[in-house]
Amino acid sequence: MIKAVKGTRDLLPPSTEVWNRVESVAREVFRAYNYHEIRTPILEETQLFARGVGAETDIVSKEMYTFTDRDESSLTLRPENTAGVIRAYIEHRLDQRPGVQKLYYIGPMFRRERPQKGRYRQFFQIGAEAIGSESALVDAEVIEMVVELLTRAGLSGFHLLLNSVGDHNCRPKYVEALKENLRGKAESMCGDCRRRAETNPLRVLDCKVEADQPVIDALPSILDYLCDTCRAHFDAVRKYLSERGIPYEVRPRMVRGLDYYMRTTFEVVHGALGAQNSVLGGGRYDGLAESLGSKVHSPGIGFSIGEDRLVMSVEGEQAPGGLDLVVAPLGEAAVRQAALLARDLRRAGRSVELVEGKLKRAMEIANKLGARHTVIIGDNELASGRYALKNMATGEQQNLTPEEIAAVLAGNSN
């Protein structure tokens, strides 16, 4: 038997109902904040991620699905989508459009990670990018939108973590301080940290190896190295969040796993996910467009939600929507009227299942499907024009016209 590839999975009902509800909520929130959908290719040139995400990151060095195409070009299944969105922004000259460009996406990403709870090799992200402004007000609005989205999706008890990672003016001094501090200490750390200590010291702060944490906790804080401009920007972000009543915790060693971040970085964690508890992450990337070839300064900030993890967190709290009605025609003469009734109710937005055969079987299916009502149409019902509508929760049964049945179902759905 052929099975799904390791690290991938089939999403099945009723779980897909929760996925659809989460995505519907996301679209509603994005619309309220004037974000518009962008759909980029799943395949991109490998160089896009090497230059954008960072050649020394784990994503590029270890986790990407990369292959050589027939024309000898190197292609990669997208491991994240910010670089792809910025590539599209540059290629299609979206900087020519008025105002901040607010874009969102929903779709699959691919990384060859070790499969674990809430983490898959094909995973799904809901993300957004606001491109064209350096304002701390935009940072706060993006984070506010994140909180609104998670709350409307049904997630509670989550925590917002916040930091600033400086910019090209002040971060190099911090990197040098990390290098100096790690000399003589990195040798006792994991292999990745020993390599990163020389090639990309910021990535040492991403290490999740428990034995390395005492060394990491003793490293200098980037907040002590921020230039005046970055410090003022970070103070403004914090002020705007406090004014909105959004609680947060400053985490000075949170740098996120992508090289393009600068200034504001943030993460949302949730206890239901265990050790790997991050639901989403984001941050500012003011130099990314230029690193990908843009001749126009295009500062931006964005985030991506791990949809797999978000759904896992809210799934237990959101019961499946259930079926409005099972229609049970008894005999050939009733089938035609049953089909017409089902059609009309479906057009009105009701969910309907038509079950032919014996009444006992129809009632069993109605119970298994969690139907709220069953309507029975037999010879007597056809003769009177009033069908037997049964409330499956209370057992109450009424003989109603098709119009009255539609009104009852409409009232129950409101």
Side-chain angles (χ1 to χ4, degrees), residues 309-324:
R309 292 179 162 203
L310 177 57
V311 169
M312 182 183 296
S313 298
V314 304
E315 198 164 18
E317 303 172 23
Q318 296 190 11
L323 184 68
D324 288 323

Side-chain angles (χ1 to χ4, degrees), residues 165 171 174-175 178 196 200-206 222 255:
V165 293
R171 190 161 57 196
Y174 177 63
V175 171
L178 280 182
R196 292 165 179 164
N200 197 341
L202 278 176
R203 297 280 72 80
V204 172
L205 303 180
D206 283 332
I222 193 168
V255 296

